[in-house]
Amino acid sequence: MKRGLIAATAAAGMLVSVAACGSSGGKNAGADGFKGQKLTVWVMSGSNPEQWTKQVSEQFKKKTGATVEFKVQQWNGIQQKLSTALSEDTPPDVVEIGNTQTAAYAKAGALVDLGDLKKEIGADWNDAFNKAAMADGKQYALPWFAGNRVVMYNKKIWAAAGIKKNPTTRAELFHDFDTIKKKTDAEPLYLPGQNWYFLDGLTIGTGAQLVKKAGDKWVSNIADPKVAKAMDIYQQYQAFGNAPKNKDEATPQQAEIFAKGKTGAIIAMGYEAATAIKANPKIKDDIGFFTIPGETADKPEGVFLGGSNFAVAGLSKNQDLAKEFLRVALSKENDAQMVRESGWTPKSPALASAAKDNPAAAAAAPAAEKSGGTTPLIPQWAAVENVPNPIKNYMTAVLNGKAPTDAAKDIESEINARLAKQ
């Protein structure tokens, strides 16, 4: 039985009731009563690092006798795919959901309330992390990780250009890119034209948002001059390379481009280093990180605090087992492993020490503290990100020479129509 998320939204009350009675209780209840069962967990490409996945799988099997199957999904088109999956009779049991999208699925009644589990395992989690896992005051997901973009650079190329210290302002960064262009045969920066997460960070840095509240409803803010200013800064970055203007950072994976050793830098999440090393193990020692510098040295470039939550499907037949998985996956030990392995920002004081030796986490921290933000955490936002993403279309149009005001006019009605969906 398949029902789209719109239908699921209309039947939110029914789905909540299903979630409440869909638990795999009875004779299987208890951490040791699941022997031979299998739990399906959807994770997004790049989210589950190798060692974390290995130890979580082993610990989960040892604790429950069950096995976990991680199914890797692609971000492009995931909302439609996940909406359908959560409405089926046999959905994935646990799903990774972007922190800006969680509220939409919660409103649709497609997720299980995890309030009691949060109290048990996440009493010390930072509120800034946890608020994106809540809707209407209830805990419909649990925060898995969050972080922001940094400059991931090739130390060998920067040294060949004679650059001896990391830049502390945007002007210094652009000067370094110019130096690389003049003194080496490398591409200074690979930045595809549709990395809207980076644009959102730049927009946050100008003091604006991509959408705004007008009375009692949310509407497009893409025509705001501050958004145009952010897009102008993006355009200056993008001009330092030859990346396609009509692709995003995952098409192809920008870390795999970086791995070829001919790119000076990319604007990346910390976990992308592992992607590059997997593509080319020889590049491992050449990878470095630094905070994206802003207009002045005292304030880094604005950054989007992106991350993901884990949620349990309301129609899962294995809800008790799913909660056992979350107890294992989100333990202090495994959260620390995520920080060490992928460079995510620690979500509790107990994890601070795990970030000390991770250069990506260290580089991300200043911007997260001083210049970070997210899109509004509202159910309507998820529809804006649906394919085709109008913000990406706006970016490509401007990069191809269209005036920001005209490019904004072309997509405003589409953004407003998506925001109006309930």
Side-chain angles (χ1 to χ4, degrees):
M1 178 177 61
K2 294 185 178 181
R3 304 181 297 276
L5 188 59
I6 294 175
T9 303
M14 179 189 73
L15 280 176
V16 171
S17 297
V18 171
C21 66
S23 176
S24 59
K27 66 179 182 180
N28 288 330
D32 59 351
F34 304 102
K35 188 174 181 179
Q37 295 187 28
K38 182 174 75 173
L39 192 79
T40 301
V41 178
W42 278 18
V43 293
M44 303 308 301
S45 177
S47 290
N48 60 316
E50 184 177 356
Q51 182 56 36
W52 179 91
T53 302
K54 182 176 183 292
Q55 68 188 45
V56 167
S57 299
E58 291 174 349
Q59 292 171 13
F60 178 70
K61 187 171 184 179
K62 182 177 180 180
K63 182 178 182 181
T64 65
T67 58
V68 57
E69 180 183 17
F70 289 98
K71 291 190 174 182
V72 178
Q73 310 296 320
Q74 301 301 315
W75 280 111
N76 196 32
I78 186 58
Q79 293 209 67
Q80 292 91 331
K81 186 174 183 180
L82 186 55
S83 297
T84 299
L86 289 174
S87 300
E88 293 179 329
D89 286 336
T90 56
D93 301 297
V94 177
V95 293
E96 175 188 348
I97 302 177
N99 61 355
T100 63
Q101 302 167 0
T102 302
Y105 295 102
K107 183 179 180 181
L111 309 177
V112 173
D113 188 334
L114 300 173
D116 289 343
L117 188 56
K118 194 273 178 184
K119 292 176 184 177
E120 177 188 334
I121 66 174
D124 65 341
W125 291 343
N126 189 310
D127 286 343
F129 277 78
N130 194 61
K131 67 180 181 181
M134 301 184 70
D136 297 327
K138 293 185 178 181
Q139 192 83 37
Y140 285 107
L142 299 179
W144 184 16
F145 61 79
N148 51 275
R149 282 160 177 76
V150 296
V151 178
M152 186 169 104
Y153 73 104
N154 186 313
K155 292 187 284 187
K156 184 180 292 185
I157 290 174
W158 287 60
I163 302 169
K164 297 182 179 180
K165 65 183 184 71
N166 292 334
T168 59
T169 67
R170 188 190 305 136
E172 290 178 2
L173 175 62
F174 288 175
H175 179 269
D176 288 345
F177 287 154
D178 272 328
T179 301
I180 291 171
K181 188 173 184 178
K182 292 174 183 177
K183 295 187 175 183
T184 76
D185 61 355
E187 182 177 20
L189 176 70
Y190 181 87
L191 178 64
Q194 294 187 341
N195 187 337
W196 80 265
Y197 296 106
F198 184 39
L199 174 64
D200 187 50
L202 295 173
T203 301
I204 290 168
T206 68
Q209 287 269 14
L210 296 174
V211 297
K212 64 183 179 181
K213 195 74 176 289
D216 61 351
K217 63 181 181 179
W218 288 89
V219 298
S220 169
N221 192 42
I222 202 78
D224 189 320
K226 291 180 180 178
V227 176
K229 179 182 178 181
M231 189 61 215
D232 177 66
I233 296 170
Y234 189 100
Q235 204 163 6
Q236 293 178 58
Y237 272 95
Q238 214 267 338
F240 284 105
N242 298 306
K245 294 179 173 62
N246 62 343
K247 303 290 184 182
D248 62 24
E249 69 279 15
T251 316
Q253 290 288 341
Q254 63 176 8
E256 294 179 354
I257 300 294
F258 180 89
K260 296 176 182 179
K262 296 295 185 180
T263 302
I266 57 176
I267 305 298
M269 300 296 284
Y271 67 78
E272 292 185 73
T275 303
I277 294 168
K278 184 176 181 180
N280 177 16
K282 294 180 180 179
I283 204 169
K284 181 178 181 180
D285 293 336
D286 296 335
I287 296 176
F289 301 91
F290 58 83
T291 307
I292 306 173
E295 187 171 355
T296 59
D298 61 321
K299 189 176 182 181
E301 200 80 275
V303 291
F304 171 76
L305 295 176
S308 287
N309 303 321
F310 268 140
V312 177
L315 293 175
S316 167
K317 306 299 191 296
N318 302 303
Q319 290 177 22
D320 287 340
L321 185 57
K323 291 177 182 179
E324 290 298 337
F325 169 80
L326 294 177
R327 288 184 176 94
V328 172
L330 302 178
S331 69
K332 291 290 189 295
E333 176 187 356
N334 290 320
D335 276 346
Q337 181 62 31
M338 284 291 290
V339 173
R340 284 191 296 267
E341 198 169 356
S342 294
W344 296 114
T345 303
K347 64 185 176 188
S348 74
L351 302 176
S353 61
K356 289 182 178 179
D357 298 323
N358 187 298
E369 179 183 355
K370 297 180 180 180
S371 311
T374 70
T375 56
L377 300 173
I378 54 173
Q380 298 94 322
W381 176 259
V384 178
E385 292 187 30
N386 278 341
V387 179
N389 185 328
I391 298 168
K392 291 183 177 182
N393 294 338
Y394 164 85
M395 296 174 72
T396 295
V398 175
L399 291 172
N400 281 329
K402 200 161 199 172
T405 51
D406 293 334
K409 289 177 183 177
D410 289 343
I411 65 165
E412 272 194 316
S413 60
E414 175 62 22
I415 292 177
N416 288 336
R418 295 186 185 201
L419 290 169
K421 292 179 179 178
Q422 298 295 327

